[in-house]
Amino acid sequence: MVRVRFAPSPTGYVHIGSLRTALYNFLYAKKMNGSYVLRIEDTDQTRYVEGSIENLINCLVKTGIVHEEGPFIKGNDIEEIGSFGPYTQSKRLNIYNEYIEKLIEKDWAYTCFCSQDRLAEVRDQQKAKGETPKYDGKCRQLSKTEVEEKIKSGDPYVIRLKLPVDTIISFEDMVRGSIVFNTNDLDDQVLIKTDGFPTYHFAVVVDDHLMGITHIIRGEEWLPSTPKHVALYKAFKWEEPKYVHLPNILNDDKKKLSKRQGDVAVEDFLKKGYLPEALINYIALLGWSPDSEEEVFTMEELIQKFDLTRINKSGAVFDRNKLNWMNSIYIKSMENKKLVELITPYLLDTDIILETDFQEKPDYIQMIVETFKEKLNSLSDIVPLVNDLFKEEINFDDEMKEILKGESVPELVKVLTSEIERLDTVTPENIKKIFKIIQKEHGIKGKNLYMPVRVITTGETHGSDLMMIMSILGKEILLKRINSLILN
RNA sequence: GGCCCCAUGGUCAAGCGGUUAAGACACCGCCCUUUCACGGCGGUUACAGGGGUUCGAAUCCCCUUGGGGUCACCA
């Protein structure tokens, strides 16, 4: 029975890389008919951000990566479900205490009284000498009675992992193969901090074991600390899980994707109008590829196709371009009614659409969405598209001025004005009729017709379907723009 | 700097000893559309370098170079 977990710490927003880690865990669990667990790693109290657990769960649920064990949102509370709980590390302190005792008994851990100041000093000296900073092992030799006395007198202390000297520790990574370390290059990691909380390294091993986790799928930044975890499994004589270290997601500069260089928060992408399905689809393909050539997949299809052995080893640059393309595919294939629903908040962000328009002129809204649908990379793209259409000032560049100098333009303007004036409301149909009249009765057609009209009515040489655009603008604005041309 | 990981076009990537080295995004053309777009067709661009192993290396091994990660009482 496969059991995997996604174990984030509640320190704020959800990083796009975290989302991919969660996704791969989820896909693998579903593929194998196993369990996908959410665990909250909140052992650093100082980094806790209010509300981040709720935000985290919401993000996962929105993107369809839903766990079956762990914390869930119920009303205004968080409720844990599952028989391996608690799923929040700060609620498991007694468990860690119990296991650290065992470790000390086995002589795989020791109490250390070194102050942070001394540690910093040692580090600085080592760095100055060009050595790798590492705990010097001062407290390794402390006798049991010395330790007891110091504790009794109230000295603050931590518990450190007692790594064997000059020993090879190796493990198999499912995507990278055999990985070998020497303990001489490793530090005696702190396992329990002065505040009595475990560090990640200790809690992760205890919890993964107790929760029956079979596969650890996580980012490759954990690779260097994995031998410490392996040492703990050995110390406890526990069965080791399988390791799967995922390649990093990179910025354009090939460095780990970070907040400094644009959006990395899942909630930001969602806010900008990237559809959860598109985001998931794109991200699934960053570091993994199916054995077929298609690229557009539903979650269900991803589950079917997912395969740990096809995960890539090298880092992948997050390509905003391709995400845009992927998102546009999903937007175009969405039915209009659904799209109108999703895009409503963005339409309200424009300068011209009001709350009441949705009841009073649904067809008009529908027409706007239909017209711009094919031009959207994200839902928020509709805002500038609509605003630009209704811009106050129309300025012509040289190309447009050239077009307006056309021989038939004066006649075209005249007919256009009188025909539009005659209309009650402007619709694509009656604009088409007007164009027919102009073509048949005045012999103005093709580019000589469409280009000047587009330039006059929109101040652009490119854009969406002209008849739709004109209908969206409406009689009043059309005439105003045509008239202002005549005045000039 | 020590340790670890990685290396196919600008980007994502297929390839797992014998291929004209796929495909997608982006870019550039052309076609379609009496406007615009969608769409269709086509094109430019890659095995980091050097040694081996082999009849034969993008594929296996070594070295170099380059990039990344990590070295906390953070995860």
Side-chain angles (χ1 to χ4, degrees):
Chain A
M1 174 71 171
V2 165
R3 285 178 60 82
V4 298
R5 62 8 177 224
F6 174 53
S9 52
T11 52
Y13 63 95
V14 182
H15 191 277
I16 202 87
S18 300
L19 189 71
R20 190 197 53 177
T21 302
L23 175 64
Y24 284 13
N25 273 286
F26 174 82
L27 292 177
Y28 187 61
K30 294 295 166 190
K31 167 95 184 186
M32 304 303 287
N33 280 314
S35 300
Y36 164 66
V37 178
L38 177 65
R39 184 175 69 219
I40 304 299
E41 312 231 323
D42 59 345
T43 54
D44 186 353
Q45 301 167 294
T46 61
R47 291 212 310 164
Y48 178 73
V49 173
E50 196 64 45
S52 55
I53 297 178
E54 290 82 349
N55 177 248
L56 172 76
I57 295 172
N58 280 332
C59 264
L60 292 171
V61 169
K62 267 186 212 161
T63 50
I65 305 172
V66 185
H67 50 290
E68 52 245 47
E69 286 175 40
F72 290 84
I73 291 177
K74 196 176 183 194
N76 285 327
D77 293 319
I78 290 175
E79 182 186 65
E80 295 200 345
I81 297 174
S83 47
F84 292 82
Y87 293 90
T88 305
Q89 290 184 328
S90 58
K91 296 180 190 163
R92 298 172 63 83
L93 263 28
N94 56 331
I95 298 174
Y96 307 124
N97 282 331
E98 179 188 328
Y99 281 94
I100 202 69
E101 285 307 322
K102 292 184 185 178
L103 215 52
I104 293 171
E105 276 167 36
K106 289 168 188 276
D107 199 32
W108 270 89
Y110 60 94
T111 311
C112 171
F113 297 92
C114 294
S115 68
Q116 304 244 30
D117 287 346
R118 186 183 108 77
L119 260 19
E121 209 173 292
V122 170
R123 253 196 305 271
D124 289 346
Q125 281 170 10
Q126 287 165 330
K127 272 188 191 165
K129 276 190 259 173
E131 292 169 8
T132 307
K134 201 180 145 185
Y135 180 60
D136 60 0
K138 181 171 181 263
C139 296
R140 264 195 169 220
Q141 320 302 339
L142 254 33
S143 73
K144 208 172 174 180
T145 49
E146 279 176 296
V147 169
E148 277 166 7
E149 265 172 40
K150 277 176 178 286
I151 291 178
K152 205 174 282 176
S153 68
D155 287 5
Y157 62 93
V158 301
I159 312 289
R160 284 182 185 274
L161 173 63
K162 194 171 196 175
L163 241 23
V165 176
D166 195 22
T167 303
I168 298 294
I169 294 182
S170 69
F171 58 93
E172 283 292 312
D173 184 280
M174 286 179 77
V175 338
R176 285 154 219 278
S178 171
I179 295 174
V180 183
F181 286 83
N182 187 305
T183 52
N184 287 352
D185 299 318
L186 267 24
D187 207 352
D188 276 357
Q189 186 66 50
V190 169
L191 265 19
I192 301 287
K193 300 182 266 187
T194 312
D195 63 3
F197 276 65
T199 58
Y200 168 85
H201 304 283
F202 188 55
V204 77
V205 170
V206 171
D207 289 349
D208 283 339
H209 174 257
L210 261 25
M211 293 182 184
I213 301 303
T214 55
H215 298 255
I216 294 180
I217 304 172
R218 71 202 337 175
E220 78 172 299
E221 63 270 24
W222 295 109
L223 217 36
S225 50
T226 303
K228 295 170 190 171
H229 307 162
V230 171
L232 285 168
Y233 279 99
K234 287 196 193 306
F236 283 117
K237 295 196 165 63
W238 288 340
E239 189 187 346
E240 283 176 52
K242 298 263 187 296
Y243 290 102
V244 181
H245 286 97
L246 270 22
N248 278 323
I249 298 181
L250 278 19
N251 281 306
D252 291 336
D253 65 359
K254 306 261 188 187
K255 296 222 167 47
K256 211 163 112 178
L257 192 66
S258 76
K259 189 147 198 177
R260 292 214 50 160
Q261 289 139 52
D263 294 321
V264 296
V266 174
E267 41 271 54
D268 289 345
F269 283 98
L270 262 19
K271 252 183 246 156
K272 284 211 169 138
Y274 287 90
L275 304 175
E277 297 85 350
L279 199 56
I280 289 294
N281 195 157
Y282 174 66
I283 244 180
L285 265 19
L286 267 188
W288 170 82
S289 63
D291 60 3
S292 58
E293 278 185 1
E294 315 112 275
E295 298 203 276
V296 181
F297 300 113
T298 62
M299 187 69 98
E300 208 38 57
E301 289 166 328
L302 286 174
I303 291 168
Q304 292 307 318
K305 290 182 172 288
F306 192 71
D307 180 357
L308 287 179
T309 66
R310 292 188 65 87
I311 291 176
N312 252 43
K313 290 195 250 281
S314 46
V317 173
F318 189 85
D319 185 357
R320 198 58 182 257
N321 242 332
K322 190 151 184 180
L323 204 218
N324 282 340
W325 168 78
M326 183 70 81
N327 203 43
S328 74
I329 296 276
Y330 278 81
I331 291 174
K332 276 176 222 151
S333 68
M334 188 178 288
E335 52 178 282
N336 288 331
K337 209 182 144 203
K338 176 83 180 156
L339 184 57
V340 169
E341 198 179 295
L342 291 179
I343 211 165
T344 294
Y346 302 94
L347 286 171
L348 288 171
D349 270 351
T350 65
D351 301 332
I352 66 129
I353 294 176
L354 306 170
E355 191 91 47
T356 50
D357 291 341
F358 289 88
Q359 281 83 44
E360 288 167 13
K361 29 185 187 174
D363 293 346
Y364 184 68
I365 299 285
Q366 178 83 245
M367 182 160 65
I368 289 177
V369 171
E370 231 170 277
T371 303
F372 292 121
K373 185 177 184 178
E374 61 200 15
K375 293 188 86 88
L376 301 177
N377 283 330
S378 68
L379 299 181
S380 61
D381 286 351
I382 194 100
V383 179
L385 247 19
V386 170
N387 285 344
D388 281 356
L389 192 58
F390 286 91
K391 63 190 169 194
E392 279 300 318
E393 292 262 319
I394 300 250
N395 296 307
F396 303 121
D397 63 18
D398 291 347
E399 190 194 356
M400 295 183 228
K401 282 174 186 160
E402 205 55 43
I403 289 166
L404 295 177
K405 279 181 198 156
E407 202 184 334
S408 52
V409 171
E411 187 183 354
L412 172 63
V413 168
K414 208 176 133 199
V415 183
L416 202 58
T417 309
S418 65
E419 289 295 334
I420 291 176
E421 272 172 348
R422 204 176 300 172
L423 297 175
D424 249 357
T425 51
V426 181
T427 67
E429 290 73 32
N430 53 36
I431 287 290
K432 193 168 187 174
K433 275 182 202 151
I434 291 175
F435 281 178
K436 280 256 166 66
I437 291 168
I438 294 172
Q439 284 157 350
K440 281 193 182 152
E441 297 176 13
H442 302 270
I444 305 170
K445 48 183 73 173
K447 292 221 185 284
N448 289 329
L449 168 62
Y450 286 96
M451 286 309 277
V453 174
R454 182 180 291 282
V455 169
I456 294 165
T457 57
T458 69
E460 301 287 340
T461 50
H462 300 280
S464 297
D465 186 284
L466 188 54
M467 296 177 230
M468 296 290 265
I469 290 287
M470 290 173 76
S471 307
I472 292 169
L473 284 169
K475 184 175 174 180
E476 196 184 328
I477 294 178
L478 286 178
L479 288 174
K480 189 180 140 206
R481 287 184 178 175
I482 297 168
N483 286 332
S484 75
L485 178 80
I486 297 169
L487 292 176
N488 289 328

